[in-house]
Amino acid sequence: MIVRKLNFLMPPDGYKKVEANIIEEDKVCAIYIKNKGYCFYINDEEDDMFLINTNLAPDEFKLDQNAQEKEDFINLVKILLDQIYEGVDIPEYEKQHHKFVFLKIMDLFNTDAIEIIDNDSDLYKKVELGFIKLDIDLLNIK
């Protein structure tokens, strides 16, 4: 039997959030949770976020051995960009490429552009609840 106090499982420095501006007010937001995964969503639509369960840190996507995971993330960013560009009259050459946006997001995690989401935040609670549900789903599959 494994027993953990809930506070033990929560990172002491909070979750790291970055935002990549796409067009006008639209941006792709990403949250990194060490040893747990990532959340990706558009603007402030936290109820419509994608959760990714992985132990990969942002720096590890530059390595060749993580090419498949990197490709999966890039495809996810493409889905988000397609949602942003849907219904917007913008020339194709002005649209940001999904691979570029993904690399930009991962680079932002190593800059001062990080916003720390602490455990008092509603966003923190949504992400935590989302990962709990994801863990339960993964246990039900096995």
Side-chain angles (χ1 to χ4, degrees), residues 66-78:
N66 298 323
Q68 182 58 49
E69 290 87 352
K70 180 178 176 180
E71 194 62 35
D72 292 342
F73 272 78
I74 290 171
N75 290 334
L76 177 60
V77 170
K78 183 178 183 333

Side-chain angles (χ1 to χ4, degrees), residues 11 14 25 35 50-51 60 62 75 77-78 82 95 103:
E25 298 295 317
N35 296 325
F50 289 94
L51 300 175
E60 295 180 86
K62 297 175 185 172
N75 290 334
V77 170
K78 183 178 183 333
D82 288 345
K95 294 180 180 179
L103 293 173

Side-chain angles (χ1 to χ4, degrees), residues 16-19 107-116:
K16 297 177 180 178
K17 176 184 171 190
V18 296
E19 299 175 345
D107 286 343
L108 284 172
F109 281 115
N110 295 320
T111 66
D112 293 336
I114 295 175
E115 177 185 346
I116 301 296

Side-chain angles (χ1 to χ4, degrees), residues 59-139:
D59 297 355
E60 295 180 86
F61 285 103
K62 297 175 185 172
L63 304 175
D64 290 336
Q65 68 244 31
N66 298 323
Q68 182 58 49
E69 290 87 352
K70 180 178 176 180
E71 194 62 35
D72 292 342
F73 272 78
I74 290 171
N75 290 334
L76 177 60
V77 170
K78 183 178 183 333
I79 291 169
L80 294 173
L81 289 176
D82 288 345
Q83 287 179 358
I84 289 174
Y85 292 133
E86 183 180 328
V88 176
D89 188 25
I90 184 170
E92 192 66 35
Y93 61 86
E94 288 186 16
K95 294 180 180 179
Q96 295 187 42
H97 193 270
H98 46 279
K99 192 176 219 178
F100 167 75
V101 172
F102 169 74
L103 293 173
K104 182 173 155 183
I105 288 171
M106 291 303 142
D107 286 343
L108 284 172
F109 281 115
N110 295 320
T111 66
D112 293 336
I114 295 175
E115 177 185 346
I116 301 296
I117 308 297
D118 63 0
N119 58 359
D120 295 328
S121 163
D122 286 338
L123 180 57
Y124 186 99
K125 292 171 186 165
K126 283 182 184 180
V127 170
E128 195 63 32
L129 180 62
F131 271 101
I132 289 170
K133 288 180 179 180
L134 180 62
D135 289 341
I136 290 170
D137 284 348
L138 291 173
L139 287 173

